[in-house]
Amino acid sequence: MTLTAAVAGASGYAGGEVLRLLVAHPDIEVTTVTAASSAGSRLGDLQPQVPPLADLVIADTTTETLAGHDLVVLALPHGHSAEVGDALSAAGDDAVIADCAADHRLTRARDWADYYGGDFAEQWTYGMPELLHVGEGAARAQRAELGATSRIAVPGCNVTAVTLALQPAVAAGLVDTTHTCATLAVGYSGAGRSPKPHLLASQALGNIAPYAVGGTHRHIPEIVQNLRVAGAGEVGLTFTPVLVPTSRGILATVVAPLTEGVDQEAVDAAYGVYSGEALIDVTELGSWPTTAPVTGTGRALVHATVDRRAGTLVALCAIDNLGKGTAAAAVQSANLALGLPEYTAVPTIGVAP
């Protein structure tokens, strides 16, 4: 039986990537696409990379338009998707809803007020199947929760890179998380499709530009939240994203002080937790993660090494911000919620050169 899907925000980068993946899904058919200012347009005029859906006409994003599907993916700006999701829930719609915005990610209203503002929405099930939970007994991943939900909060792209880089060390108690530093090289598509002067090619090409410096980036509380789930106590995070002149990709470099007596052998053992993860590859010493091999995929490349002289762990993670960072995570999590094989339509083969 083929399931039906609607994608809201289909004219944007995240929406377009969701469509690219879903059009290859053997069990899901995209029947509805919506947006705001582009309503009435032919999808092929805005997302020509998805020719099978070219003749779909973009509709207004309303409860009536989105209702009645098996899967609804919300690729809307922060602060808008909660209203849409709440309206669908109030109407009794039992679709699986995957929200690619931040509206349902955070557990603390204060964090939302500090970093986003506006009304706080309740947290939905977090859409990172590989997120480690540390409590009583052995660490476990997030998959079981996603298999028992119909409401999914897809993680932030920077959050995914930092979390996957550091969480095995946190779960094993190898680092002091009170002095964590994350510096990320980020492709321009992470800023969205809306035209802004600093995103013009004339400004971006040949330029490397930091942004949201000094603890102001909205992904900080989400990263802290994840590290606490993975077993951290107090988390002090210095987070600096830097735009680099590439369209896609994130390379996160995360540095944290080692706890007493930790060596490379202990680090390698801790990162063995990823040995069963189909989408996470831990690279060997000297083979550092880079973004090119994961472009267009739902994969992540991770490496962690001991800086003996500095007494720190250096953990790296490379992902495609639109792949594992957004759309692939949405599809992977939705598969679990729909009872489908987890990796269906999640691409693992990159594009080179």
Side-chain angles (χ1 to χ4, degrees), residues 89-188:
S89 296
D93 197 288
D94 59 357
V96 168
I97 305 176
D99 182 11
C100 295
D103 294 34
H104 296 284
R105 296 174 189 163
L106 299 180
T107 58
R108 302 199 314 175
R110 182 64 191 177
D111 287 338
W112 181 264
D114 287 346
Y115 286 88
Y116 292 91
D119 294 334
F120 175 68
E122 66 174 342
Q123 187 191 34
W124 286 358
T125 306
Y126 198 64
M128 185 185 293
E130 303 89 354
L131 178 65
L132 295 176
H133 290 249
V134 172
E136 296 183 5
R140 62 176 179 83
Q142 176 79 355
R143 280 185 180 80
E145 283 82 352
L146 286 162
T149 189
S150 62
R151 298 292 184 266
I152 300 165
V154 180
C157 54
N158 297 308
V159 180
T160 296
V162 175
T163 300
L164 295 182
L166 195 61
Q167 67 169 353
V170 173
L174 305 185
V175 292
D176 174 5
T177 56
T178 61
H179 295 89
T180 304
C181 179
T183 305
L184 282 73
V186 182
Y188 271 77

Coordinates of all heavy atoms in Angstrom, one line a residue, residues 89-188:
S89 N -3.4 18.7 14.6 CA -3.7 17.9 15.8 C -5.1 18.2 16.3 O -5.9 17.3 16.6 CB -2.7 18.1 16.9 OG -1.4 17.7 16.5
A90 N -5.5 19.5 16.3 CA -6.8 19.9 16.8 C -7.9 19.4 15.9 O -9.0 19.1 16.3 CB -6.9 21.4 16.9
A91 N -7.6 19.2 14.6 CA -8.6 18.7 13.7 C -8.7 17.2 13.7 O -9.4 16.6 12.9 CB -8.2 19.2 12.2
G92 N -7.8 16.6 14.6 CA -7.9 15.1 14.7 C -7.1 14.4 13.6 O -7.3 13.2 13.5
D93 N -6.2 15.1 12.9 CA -5.5 14.4 11.9 C -4.4 13.5 12.5 O -3.7 13.9 13.4 CB -4.8 15.4 11.0 CG -4.3 14.9 9.7 OD1 -3.3 14.1 9.7 OD2 -4.9 15.2 8.7
D94 N -4.4 12.2 12.1 CA -3.5 11.3 12.7 C -2.2 11.0 11.8 O -1.6 10.0 12.0 CB -4.2 9.9 13.0 CG -4.8 9.3 11.7 OD1 -4.7 9.9 10.6 OD2 -5.3 8.2 11.8
A95 N -1.9 11.9 10.9 CA -0.7 11.8 10.1 C 0.5 11.8 11.0 O 0.6 12.4 12.1 CB -0.7 12.9 9.1
V96 N 1.6 11.2 10.5 CA 2.9 11.5 11.1 C 3.4 12.8 10.6 O 3.3 13.1 9.4 CB 3.9 10.4 10.6 CG1 5.4 10.8 11.0 CG2 3.6 9.1 11.3
I97 N 3.7 13.7 11.5 CA 4.2 15.0 11.1 C 5.7 15.2 11.5 O 6.0 14.9 12.7 CB 3.4 16.1 11.8 CG1 1.9 15.9 11.5 CG2 3.8 17.5 11.4 CD1 1.0 16.9 12.3
A98 N 6.5 15.5 10.6 CA 7.9 15.8 10.8 C 8.2 17.3 10.6 O 8.0 17.8 9.5 CB 8.8 15.0 9.9
D99 N 8.6 18.0 11.7 CA 8.8 19.4 11.6 C 10.3 19.7 11.5 O 11.1 19.4 12.4 CB 8.2 20.0 12.9 CG 8.4 21.5 13.0 OD1 8.7 22.1 11.9 OD2 8.1 22.1 14.1
C100 N 10.7 20.3 10.4 CA 12.1 20.6 10.2 C 12.5 21.9 10.8 O 13.7 22.3 10.8 CB 12.4 20.7 8.7 SG 12.2 19.1 7.8
A101 N 11.6 22.7 11.4 CA 11.9 23.9 12.1 C 12.2 23.6 13.6 O 12.1 22.4 14.0 CB 10.7 24.9 12.0
A102 N 12.5 24.6 14.3 CA 12.9 24.5 15.7 C 11.8 24.4 16.7 O 12.0 24.2 17.9 CB 13.9 25.6 16.1
D103 N 10.5 24.6 16.3 CA 9.4 24.9 17.2 C 9.2 23.8 18.2 O 8.8 24.2 19.3 CB 8.1 25.1 16.3 CG 8.2 26.3 15.5 OD1 9.3 26.6 15.0 OD2 7.1 26.9 15.2
H104 N 9.5 22.6 17.9 CA 9.2 21.5 18.9 C 10.4 20.8 19.4 O 10.3 19.7 19.9 CB 8.2 20.5 18.2 CG 6.9 21.1 17.9 ND1 5.9 21.3 18.8 CD2 6.4 21.5 16.7 CE1 4.9 21.8 18.2 NE2 5.1 21.9 16.9
R105 N 11.6 21.4 19.3 CA 12.8 20.7 19.7 C 13.2 20.9 21.1 O 13.8 20.0 21.8 CB 14.0 21.3 18.8 CG 14.0 21.0 17.4 CD 15.1 21.7 16.6 NE 15.0 21.7 15.2 CZ 15.7 22.5 14.4 NH1 16.5 23.4 14.9 NH2 15.5 22.4 13.1
L106 N 12.9 22.1 21.7 CA 13.5 22.4 23.0 C 12.5 22.0 24.1 O 11.3 22.0 24.0 CB 13.7 23.9 23.1 CG 14.7 24.4 22.1 CD1 14.9 25.9 22.3 CD2 16.1 23.7 22.3
T107 N 13.1 21.6 25.3 CA 12.3 21.2 26.4 C 12.0 22.3 27.4 O 11.1 22.2 28.2 CB 13.0 20.0 27.2 OG1 14.3 20.5 27.6 CG2 13.2 18.8 26.3
R108 N 12.8 23.4 27.3 CA 12.7 24.5 28.3 C 12.2 25.7 27.7 O 12.7 26.2 26.7 CB 14.0 24.7 29.0 CG 14.7 23.5 29.7 CD 15.7 23.9 30.7 NE 16.6 24.9 30.2 CZ 17.6 25.5 31.0 NH1 17.7 25.1 32.2 NH2 18.4 26.3 30.5
A109 N 11.1 26.3 28.2 CA 10.5 27.5 27.7 C 11.5 28.6 27.8 O 11.5 29.5 26.9 CB 9.2 27.8 28.5
R110 N 12.3 28.7 28.8 CA 13.3 29.7 28.9 C 14.3 29.8 27.8 O 14.6 30.8 27.3 CB 14.1 29.6 30.3 CG 15.1 30.7 30.5 CD 14.3 32.1 30.7 NE 15.3 33.2 30.7 CZ 14.9 34.4 30.8 NH1 13.6 34.7 30.8 NH2 15.7 35.4 30.8
D111 N 14.7 28.6 27.3 CA 15.6 28.5 26.2 C 14.9 29.1 24.9 O 15.6 29.8 24.1 CB 16.1 27.1 25.9 CG 17.1 26.6 27.0 OD1 17.7 27.4 27.6 OD2 17.2 25.4 27.1
W112 N 13.7 28.7 24.7 CA 13.0 29.3 23.6 C 12.9 30.8 23.6 O 13.1 31.5 22.7 CB 11.6 28.6 23.5 CG 10.8 29.1 22.3 CD1 9.9 30.1 22.2 CD2 11.0 28.6 20.9 NE1 9.5 30.3 20.9 CE2 10.1 29.4 20.1 CE3 11.7 27.6 20.3 CZ2 10.0 29.2 18.8 CZ3 11.6 27.4 19.0 CH2 10.8 28.2 18.2
A113 N 12.5 31.3 24.8 CA 12.4 32.7 25.0 C 13.7 33.5 24.7 O 13.8 34.5 24.1 CB 11.9 33.1 26.4
D114 N 14.8 32.9 25.2 CA 16.1 33.5 25.1 C 16.7 33.5 23.6 O 17.3 34.5 23.2 CB 17.2 32.8 26.0 CG 17.0 33.1 27.5 OD1 16.2 34.0 27.8 OD2 17.6 32.3 28.3
Y115 N 16.4 32.4 22.9 CA 17.0 32.3 21.6 C 16.0 32.5 20.4 O 16.5 32.7 19.3 CB 17.7 30.9 21.5 CG 18.9 30.8 22.3 CD1 19.0 30.5 23.6 CD2 20.2 31.1 21.7 CE1 20.1 30.4 24.3 CE2 21.4 31.1 22.4 CZ 21.3 30.7 23.7 OH 22.5 30.6 24.4
Y116 N 14.7 32.4 20.6 CA 13.8 32.5 19.5 C 12.7 33.5 19.8 O 12.4 34.4 18.9 CB 13.1 31.1 19.2 CG 14.0 30.1 18.7 CD1 14.7 29.2 19.5 CD2 14.2 30.0 17.3 CE1 15.6 28.2 19.0 CE2 15.1 29.0 16.8 CZ 15.7 28.1 17.6 OH 16.6 27.2 17.1
G117 N 12.1 33.5 21.0 CA 11.1 34.4 21.3 C 9.7 33.9 20.8 O 9.6 33.0 19.9
G118 N 8.6 34.5 21.3 CA 7.3 34.1 20.9 C 6.8 33.0 21.8 O 7.4 32.6 22.8
D119 N 5.7 32.4 21.4 CA 5.1 31.3 22.2 C 5.9 30.0 22.1 O 6.4 29.6 21.1 CB 3.7 31.0 21.6 CG 2.7 32.2 21.8 OD1 3.0 33.0 22.7 OD2 1.8 32.3 21.0
F120 N 6.0 29.4 23.3 CA 6.7 28.1 23.4 C 5.8 27.0 23.1 O 4.7 26.9 23.6 CB 7.3 28.0 24.8 CG 8.0 26.7 25.1 CD1 9.2 26.4 24.5 CD2 7.4 25.8 26.0 CE1 9.8 25.2 24.8 CE2 8.0 24.6 26.3 CZ 9.2 24.3 25.7
A121 N 6.3 26.0 22.3 CA 5.5 24.9 22.0 C 6.1 23.6 22.7 O 7.3 23.6 22.9 CB 5.5 24.6 20.4
E122 N 5.2 22.7 23.0 CA 5.7 21.5 23.6 C 6.7 20.7 22.7 O 6.6 20.8 21.5 CB 4.5 20.6 24.0 CG 3.8 20.0 22.8 CD 2.7 19.0 23.2 OE1 2.8 18.5 24.3 OE2 1.9 18.7 22.4
Q123 N 7.6 20.0 23.4 CA 8.6 19.2 22.6 C 7.9 18.0 22.0 O 7.1 17.3 22.6 CB 9.7 18.7 23.5 CG 10.8 18.1 22.7 CD 11.8 17.4 23.6 OE1 11.5 16.8 24.6 NE2 13.1 17.4 23.2
W124 N 8.3 17.7 20.7 CA 7.9 16.5 20.1 C 9.0 15.5 20.2 O 10.1 15.8 20.6 CB 7.6 16.8 18.6 CG 6.3 17.5 18.4 CD1 5.3 17.8 19.3 CD2 5.7 17.9 17.1 NE1 4.3 18.4 18.7 CE2 4.5 18.5 17.4 CE3 6.2 17.8 15.8 CZ2 3.6 19.0 16.4 CZ3 5.4 18.3 14.8 CH2 4.1 18.9 15.1
T125 N 8.8 14.3 19.7 CA 9.9 13.3 19.8 C 11.0 13.7 18.9 O 10.8 14.1 17.7 CB 9.3 11.9 19.3 OG1 8.2 11.6 20.1 CG2 10.4 10.8 19.4
Y126 N 12.2 13.7 19.4 CA 13.4 14.2 18.8 C 13.8 13.3 17.6 O 14.0 12.1 17.8 CB 14.5 14.4 19.8 CG 15.6 15.4 19.3 CD1 15.3 16.7 19.1 CD2 16.9 14.9 19.1 CE1 16.3 17.6 18.7 CE2 17.9 15.7 18.7 CZ 17.6 17.1 18.5 OH 18.6 17.9 18.1
G127 N 14.0 13.9 16.4 CA 14.3 13.1 15.3 C 15.7 12.8 15.0 O 16.2 13.0 13.8
M128 N 16.4 12.3 15.9 CA 17.8 11.8 15.7 C 17.9 10.4 16.2 O 18.1 10.2 17.4 CB 18.8 12.7 16.4 CG 20.3 12.3 16.2 SD 21.5 13.3 17.1 CE 21.2 15.0 16.5
P129 N 17.7 9.4 15.4 CA 17.7 8.0 15.8 C 19.0 7.6 16.6 O 18.9 6.7 17.4 CB 17.5 7.2 14.5 CG 16.8 8.2 13.6 CD 17.4 9.5 13.9
E130 N 20.1 8.3 16.2 CA 21.4 7.9 16.8 C 21.7 8.6 18.1 O 22.7 8.4 18.7 CB 22.5 8.2 15.8 CG 22.3 7.5 14.5 CD 21.5 8.3 13.5 OE1 21.0 9.3 13.8 OE2 21.5 7.8 12.3
L131 N 20.8 9.5 18.6 CA 21.0 10.2 19.8 C 21.2 9.2 21.0 O 20.3 8.4 21.2 CB 19.9 11.2 20.1 CG 20.0 12.0 21.4 CD1 21.2 12.9 21.4 CD2 18.7 12.8 21.7
L132 N 22.2 9.3 21.7 CA 22.5 8.4 22.8 C 21.8 8.9 24.1 O 21.9 10.1 24.5 CB 24.0 8.3 23.1 CG 24.8 7.7 22.0 CD1 26.3 7.7 22.3 CD2 24.4 6.2 21.7
H133 N 21.1 8.0 24.8 CA 20.5 8.3 26.1 C 21.4 7.5 27.1 O 21.6 6.3 27.0 CB 19.1 7.7 26.1 CG 18.1 8.5 25.3 ND1 17.1 9.3 25.8 CD2 18.0 8.6 24.0 CE1 16.4 9.8 24.9 NE2 17.0 9.4 23.7
V134 N 21.8 8.2 28.1 CA 22.6 7.6 29.2 C 21.8 7.8 30.5 O 21.5 8.9 30.9 CB 24.0 8.3 29.3 CG1 24.7 7.8 30.6 CG2 24.8 8.0 28.1
G135 N 21.6 6.7 31.1 CA 20.9 6.6 32.4 C 21.3 5.4 33.1 O 22.4 5.0 33.2
E136 N 20.3 4.7 33.6 CA 20.5 3.4 34.2 C 20.8 2.4 33.1 O 20.1 2.3 32.1 CB 19.3 2.9 35.0 CG 19.1 3.8 36.3 CD 17.9 3.3 37.1 OE1 17.4 2.2 36.8 OE2 17.6 4.0 38.1
G137 N 21.8 1.6 33.3 CA 22.2 0.5 32.3 C 23.0 1.1 31.2 O 23.5 2.2 31.2
A138 N 23.1 0.4 30.1 CA 23.9 0.8 28.9 C 23.3 1.9 28.2 O 22.0 2.1 28.2 CB 24.2 -0.4 28.0
A139 N 24.1 2.7 27.5 CA 23.6 3.8 26.7 C 22.7 3.2 25.6 O 23.0 2.1 25.0 CB 24.7 4.6 26.0
R140 N 21.6 3.9 25.2 CA 20.7 3.4 24.2 C 20.4 4.6 23.2 O 20.6 5.7 23.6 CB 19.4 2.9 24.8 CG 18.6 3.9 25.5 CD 17.3 3.4 26.0 NE 16.5 4.4 26.7 CZ 15.8 5.4 26.2 NH1 15.7 5.5 24.9 NH2 15.2 6.3 26.9
A141 N 20.0 4.2 22.0 CA 19.7 5.2 21.0 C 18.3 5.6 21.1 O 17.5 5.0 21.7 CB 20.2 4.8 19.7
Q142 N 17.9 6.6 20.3 CA 16.6 7.2 20.3 C 15.6 6.5 19.4 O 14.4 6.8 19.5 CB 16.8 8.7 19.7 CG 15.5 9.5 19.5 CD 15.0 10.1 20.8 OE1 15.5 9.9 21.8 NE2 14.0 10.9 20.6
R143 N 16.0 5.4 18.8 CA 15.1 4.8 17.8 C 13.7 4.3 18.4 O 12.7 4.5 17.7 CB 15.8 3.5 17.2 CG 16.8 3.8 16.2 CD 17.3 2.6 15.5 NE 18.3 3.1 14.5 CZ 19.5 3.5 14.8 NH1 19.9 3.4 16.0 NH2 20.3 3.9 13.8
A144 N 13.7 3.8 19.5 CA 12.5 3.2 20.1 C 11.4 4.3 20.2 O 10.3 4.1 19.9 CB 12.8 2.5 21.4
E145 N 11.9 5.5 20.7 CA 10.9 6.6 20.8 C 10.3 7.0 19.5 O 9.1 7.3 19.4 CB 11.6 7.8 21.4 CG 11.9 7.7 22.9 CD 13.1 6.9 23.3 OE1 13.7 6.3 22.4 OE2 13.5 6.9 24.5
L146 N 11.1 7.0 18.4 CA 10.6 7.3 17.1 C 9.7 6.3 16.5 O 8.8 6.6 15.7 CB 11.8 7.6 16.2 CG 12.5 8.9 16.4 CD1 13.9 8.9 15.8 CD2 11.7 10.1 15.9
G147 N 9.8 5.1 16.9 CA 9.0 4.0 16.5 C 7.6 4.0 17.1 O 6.7 3.3 16.8
A148 N 7.4 4.9 18.1 CA 6.2 4.9 18.9 C 5.6 6.4 18.9 O 5.0 6.7 19.9 CB 6.4 4.4 20.3
T149 N 5.8 7.1 17.9 CA 5.3 8.5 17.9 C 4.7 8.9 16.5 O 4.9 8.2 15.5 CB 6.5 9.5 18.2 OG1 6.0 10.8 18.4 CG2 7.5 9.5 17.0
S150 N 4.0 9.9 16.5 CA 3.5 10.5 15.2 C 3.9 12.0 15.1 O 3.5 12.6 14.1 CB 2.0 10.3 15.1 OG 1.3 11.1 16.1
R151 N 4.7 12.5 16.0 CA 5.1 13.9 16.0 C 6.6 13.9 16.2 O 7.2 13.5 17.2 CB 4.4 14.6 17.1 CG 2.9 14.7 17.0 CD 2.5 15.5 15.8 NE 1.0 15.7 15.7 CZ 0.2 14.9 15.0 NH1 0.7 13.8 14.3 NH2 -1.1 15.1 14.9
I152 N 7.3 14.4 15.1 CA 8.8 14.4 15.1 C 9.3 15.8 15.0 O 8.9 16.6 14.1 CB 9.3 13.6 13.9 CG1 8.7 12.1 14.0 CG2 10.8 13.6 13.8 CD1 8.9 11.4 12.7
A153 N 10.3 16.1 15.8 CA 11.0 17.4 15.8 C 12.4 17.1 15.1 O 13.3 16.5 15.8 CB 11.2 18.0 17.1
V154 N 12.6 17.5 13.9 CA 13.8 17.2 13.2 C 14.9 18.1 13.7 O 14.7 19.3 13.9 CB 13.6 17.4 11.7 CG1 14.9 17.2 10.9 CG2 12.5 16.6 11.1
P155 N 16.1 17.6 14.0 CA 17.2 18.4 14.7 C 17.7 19.5 13.8 O 17.5 19.5 12.5 CB 18.3 17.4 14.9 CG 17.6 16.0 14.9 CD 16.5 16.2 14.0
G156 N 18.3 20.5 14.4 CA 19.0 21.5 13.6 C 20.3 20.9 13.0 O 20.9 19.9 13.5
C157 N 20.7 21.4 11.8 CA 21.8 20.8 11.1 C 23.1 21.0 11.9 O 23.9 20.0 12.0 CB 21.9 21.5 9.7 SG 22.1 23.3 9.7
N158 N 23.4 22.2 12.4 CA 24.6 22.3 13.2 C 24.6 21.4 14.5 O 25.6 20.9 14.9 CB 24.8 23.8 13.7 CG 25.0 24.7 12.5 OD1 25.8 24.5 11.6 ND2 24.2 25.8 12.4
V159 N 23.4 21.3 15.0 CA 23.2 20.5 16.2 C 23.6 19.0 15.9 O 24.3 18.4 16.7 CB 21.8 20.5 16.7 CG1 21.6 19.7 18.0 CG2 21.4 22.0 17.0
T160 N 23.2 18.5 14.8 CA 23.5 17.2 14.4 C 25.0 16.9 14.3 O 25.5 16.0 14.9 CB 22.8 16.8 13.1 OG1 21.4 16.9 13.2 CG2 23.2 15.4 12.6
A161 N 25.7 17.9 13.7 CA 27.1 17.7 13.5 C 27.9 17.7 14.9 O 28.7 16.9 15.1 CB 27.7 18.8 12.6
V162 N 27.5 18.6 15.7 CA 28.2 18.7 17.0 C 27.8 17.5 17.9 O 28.7 16.9 18.6 CB 27.9 20.0 17.8 CG1 28.5 20.1 19.2 CG2 28.4 21.2 17.0
T163 N 26.6 17.1 17.9 CA 26.1 16.0 18.7 C 26.8 14.7 18.3 O 27.3 14.0 19.2 CB 24.6 15.9 18.7 OG1 24.0 17.0 19.1 CG2 24.1 14.7 19.5
L164 N 26.8 14.4 17.0 CA 27.4 13.2 16.6 C 28.9 13.2 16.8 O 29.5 12.1 17.1 CB 27.1 13.0 15.1 CG 25.6 12.8 14.7 CD1 25.5 12.5 13.2 CD2 25.0 11.6 15.5
A165 N 29.6 14.4 16.7 CA 31.0 14.4 17.0 C 31.4 14.1 18.4 O 32.3 13.4 18.7 CB 31.5 15.8 16.6
L166 N 30.6 14.6 19.4 CA 31.0 14.5 20.8 C 30.3 13.5 21.7 O 30.8 13.1 22.7 CB 30.9 15.9 21.4 CG 31.6 16.1 22.7 CD1 33.1 15.9 22.6 CD2 31.4 17.5 23.3
Q167 N 29.1 13.1 21.3 CA 28.3 12.4 22.3 C 28.9 11.0 22.7 O 28.7 10.7 23.9 CB 26.9 12.1 21.7 CG 26.7 11.2 20.5 CD 25.3 10.9 20.2 OE1 24.4 11.2 21.0 NE2 25.1 10.2 19.1
P168 N 29.7 10.3 21.9 CA 30.2 9.1 22.4 C 31.2 9.3 23.6 O 31.3 8.6 24.6 CB 31.0 8.4 21.2 CG 30.2 9.0 20.0 CD 29.9 10.4 20.4
A169 N 32.0 10.4 23.5 CA 32.9 10.8 24.5 C 32.2 11.2 25.8 O 32.6 10.9 26.9 CB 33.9 11.9 24.0
V170 N 31.1 11.9 25.6 CA 30.3 12.4 26.7 C 29.7 11.2 27.4 O 29.7 11.0 28.6 CB 29.2 13.3 26.3 CG1 28.2 13.7 27.4 CG2 29.8 14.6 25.7
A171 N 29.1 10.3 26.6 CA 28.4 9.1 27.2 C 29.4 8.2 28.0 O 29.0 7.6 29.0 CB 27.8 8.3 26.1
A172 N 30.7 8.2 27.6 CA 31.7 7.4 28.2 C 32.4 8.1 29.3 O 33.3 7.6 30.0 CB 32.7 6.9 27.2
G173 N 32.0 9.4 29.6 CA 32.7 10.1 30.6 C 34.1 10.5 30.4 O 34.9 10.7 31.3
L174 N 34.5 10.7 29.1 CA 35.9 11.0 28.7 C 36.2 12.4 28.7 O 37.4 12.8 28.7 CB 36.2 10.4 27.4 CG 35.9 8.9 27.2 CD1 36.3 8.4 25.8 CD2 36.5 8.1 28.3
V175 N 35.2 13.3 28.7 CA 35.5 14.8 28.6 C 34.8 15.6 29.7 O 33.8 15.2 30.2 CB 35.1 15.3 27.2 CG1 36.0 14.7 26.1 CG2 33.6 15.0 26.9
D176 N 35.4 16.8 29.9 CA 34.8 17.8 30.8 C 33.9 18.7 29.9 O 34.5 19.5 29.1 CB 35.9 18.5 31.5 CG 35.4 19.7 32.3 OD1 34.1 19.9 32.4 OD2 36.2 20.5 32.9
T177 N 32.6 18.6 30.0 CA 31.8 19.4 29.1 C 31.6 20.8 29.6 O 30.9 21.6 28.9 CB 30.4 18.7 29.0 OG1 29.8 18.5 30.3 CG2 30.5 17.4 28.3
T178 N 32.2 21.2 30.7 CA 32.0 22.6 31.1 C 32.8 23.6 30.3 O 32.6 24.8 30.4 CB 32.4 22.8 32.6 OG1 33.8 22.4 32.8 CG2 31.5 21.9 33.5
H179 N 33.8 23.1 29.5 CA 34.6 23.9 28.7 C 34.7 23.3 27.3 O 35.8 22.9 26.8 CB 36.0 24.1 29.3 CG 36.0 24.8 30.6 ND1 35.9 24.2 31.8 CD2 36.1 26.2 30.9 CE1 35.9 25.1 32.8 NE2 36.0 26.3 32.2
T180 N 33.6 23.3 26.6 CA 33.5 22.8 25.2 C 33.5 23.9 24.2 O 32.8 24.9 24.3 CB 32.2 21.9 25.1 OG1 32.2 20.9 26.1 CG2 32.1 21.2 23.7
C181 N 34.3 23.7 23.1 CA 34.4 24.7 22.1 C 34.1 24.0 20.7 O 34.7 23.0 20.4 CB 35.7 25.3 22.0 SG 36.0 26.5 20.7
A182 N 33.1 24.5 20.0 CA 32.7 24.0 18.7 C 32.8 25.1 17.6 O 32.2 26.1 17.8 CB 31.3 23.4 18.7
T183 N 33.6 24.8 16.6 CA 33.8 25.7 15.5 C 33.3 25.0 14.2 O 33.8 23.9 14.0 CB 35.2 26.2 15.3 OG1 35.6 26.8 16.6 CG2 35.3 27.2 14.2
L184 N 32.4 25.6 13.5 CA 31.8 24.9 12.4 C 32.0 25.7 11.1 O 31.7 26.9 11.0 CB 30.3 24.7 12.6 CG 29.9 23.5 13.5 CD1 30.2 23.9 15.0 CD2 28.4 23.2 13.3
A185 N 32.5 25.0 10.0 CA 32.4 25.6 8.7 C 31.1 25.1 8.1 O 30.8 23.9 8.0 CB 33.6 25.0 7.9
V186 N 30.3 26.1 7.6 CA 29.0 25.8 7.2 C 28.7 26.4 5.7 O 29.1 27.5 5.4 CB 28.0 26.5 8.1 CG1 26.5 26.3 7.7 CG2 28.2 26.1 9.6
G187 N 28.1 25.5 4.9 CA 27.8 26.0 3.5 C 26.6 26.9 3.6 O 25.8 27.0 4.5
Y188 N 26.5 27.7 2.5 CA 25.5 28.8 2.5 C 24.1 28.4 2.4 O 23.2 29.2 2.8 CB 25.9 29.7 1.3 CG 26.8 30.8 1.6 CD1 28.2 30.6 1.8 CD2 26.4 32.1 1.9 CE1 29.1 31.6 2.1 CE2 27.3 33.1 2.2 CZ 28.6 32.9 2.4 OH 29.5 33.9 2.7

